[in-house]
């Protein structure tokens, strides 16, 4: 290679390397900056003792359970981590619009319990309701902002529904089995999480900005915090319920 050609080749390589990823001229503008807010939800104080559920009114419900089934309203592990808390962005996204996923969210009825006990979905996301039991259920969500419905579901069948509007959270009951209760939180954006056994949550791919975050629990109420995150920043924060 002649020295002059070599010089221009190296110059070209240098120019290409100096253009940051995602902002090449003519290419699509980056839509996410990869900022994250994550942390834990904890419970402080004496954990209320779970109560056994009496399934005697339908013997087929108790049959698949080898141990007594306990109430699921306040679930705390040995380290004080609180499960079934919905952590979400309640303000700060402006007028950004997000298309709902086409992939359905699933709620199962298994051993006459809703699984999961707390579910979070997107507005207009398909919601698949599965009856894995040998008995019929009657699914009855009682929303405030959405359309109320009430449908019998025969054993071993499934059906599809959806909620159109944001709501935290819709109580769902079964008209046949009074102990069956779940909650479905509905969001018009993807920035939410439901804590698992370790109480942790992770809201990732957030645009840089200042957000109001809420943590909602079915019995313990709602806790609010404000957080500001820069581009590609990760912030840790925790919520504590008493
Ligand atoms: Cu039922």
């Amino acid at each position: 290679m002649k020295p002059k050609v070599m010089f221009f080749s190296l110059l070209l390589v240098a120019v290409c390397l100096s253009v940051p990823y995602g902002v090449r001229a003519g290419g699509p503008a980056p839509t996410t900056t990869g900022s994250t807010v994550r942390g834990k939800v904890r419970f402080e104080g004496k954990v209320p003792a779970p109560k056994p559920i009496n399934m005697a009114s339908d013997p087929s419900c108790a049959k698949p359970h080898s141990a007594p089934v306990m109430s699921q309203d306040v679930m705390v592990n040995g380290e004080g981590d609180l499960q079934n808390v919905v952590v979400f962005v309640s303000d700060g996204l402006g007028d950004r619009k997000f298309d709902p996923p086409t992939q359905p969210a699933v709620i199962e009825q298994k051993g006459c319990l809703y699984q999961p006990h707390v579910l979070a979905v997107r507005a207009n996301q398909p919601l698949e309701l599965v009856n894995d039991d040998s008995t019929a259920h009657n699914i009855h969500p009682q929303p405030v902002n959405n359309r109320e419905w009430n449908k019998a579901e025969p054993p071993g069948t499934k059906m599809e529904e959806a909620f159109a509007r944001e709501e935290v959270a819709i109580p769902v009951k079964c008209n046949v089995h009074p102990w069956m209760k779940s909650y479905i939180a509905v969001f018009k954006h993807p920035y939410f999480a439901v804590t698992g056994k370790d109480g942790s949550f992770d809201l990732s791919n957030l645009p840089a900005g200042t957000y109001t975050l809420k943590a909602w629990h079915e019995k313990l109420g709602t806790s609010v915090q404000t957080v500001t995150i820069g581009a590609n920043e990760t912030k840790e924060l925790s919520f504590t319920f008493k």
Side-chain angles (χ1 to χ4, degrees):
M1 202 180 277
K2 286 176 186 168
K4 208 170 179 182
V5 175
M6 178 84 148
F7 171 75
F8 283 110
S9 299
L10 286 173
L11 187 68
L12 187 67
V13 168
V15 167
C16 287
L17 288 175
S18 72
V19 177
Y21 174 75
V23 287
R24 285 181 184 87
T31 51
T32 58
T33 52
S35 301
T36 299
V37 181
R38 66 182 179 207
K40 285 245 186 190
V41 183
R42 301 182 47 79
F43 182 86
E44 254 177 38
K46 193 175 182 298
V47 181
K51 295 185 185 77
I53 293 171
N54 183 354
M55 294 185 173
S57 64
D58 187 340
S60 77
C61 288
K63 217 173 166 187
H65 299 286
S66 53
V69 183
M70 309 306 273
S71 58
Q72 297 176 299
D73 42 8
V74 181
M75 295 179 78
V76 182
N77 72 7
E79 275 86 57
D81 303 318
L82 184 60
Q83 193 178 339
N84 289 332
V85 177
V86 185
V87 181
F88 60 99
V89 170
S90 75
D91 197 25
L93 290 164
D95 53 7
R96 289 182 178 90
K97 297 268 183 291
F98 303 91
D99 290 330
T102 51
Q103 181 76 14
V106 179
I107 188 161
E108 285 179 289
Q109 296 147 107
K110 223 172 187 169
C112 298
L113 294 172
Y114 288 112
Q115 292 183 14
H117 178 63
V118 175
L119 177 71
V121 302
R122 298 275 295 280
N124 293 313
Q125 179 180 9
L127 172 64
E128 202 172 278
L129 302 125
V130 182
N131 183 356
D132 290 319
D133 286 329
S134 58
T135 190
H137 293 292
N138 187 291
I139 307 163
H140 185 186
Q142 296 174 292
V144 174
N145 296 331
N146 282 281
R147 182 177 55 88
E148 184 171 346
W149 48 269
N150 182 1
K151 285 182 175 174
E153 189 170 44
T157 61
K158 59 182 171 186
M159 59 187 183
E160 204 171 277
E161 274 288 341
F163 295 104
R165 285 181 286 280
E166 199 157 76
E167 184 165 353
V168 184
I170 303 170
V172 180
K173 67 173 188 173
C174 172
N175 289 352
V176 184
H177 308 105
W179 63 84
M180 286 181 72
K181 193 140 201 197
S182 77
Y183 294 86
I184 301 176
V186 187
F187 296 99
K188 56 187 179 192
H189 61 71
Y191 305 109
F192 57 82
V194 182
T195 59
K197 285 191 175 113
D198 69 351
S200 70
F201 66 89
D202 190 315
L203 307 179
S204 54
N205 290 325
L206 271 162
T210 297
Y211 298 102
T212 305
L213 293 190
K214 286 186 178 173
W216 173 93
H217 184 272
E218 62 181 275
K219 283 281 182 303
L220 304 169
T222 302
S223 178
V224 186
Q225 291 193 50
T226 304
V227 64
T228 298
I229 42 167
N232 297 310
E233 193 183 358
T234 295
K235 272 203 176 159
E236 305 262 347
L237 69 96
S238 63
F239 289 91
T240 304
F241 286 90
K242 287 174 186 181

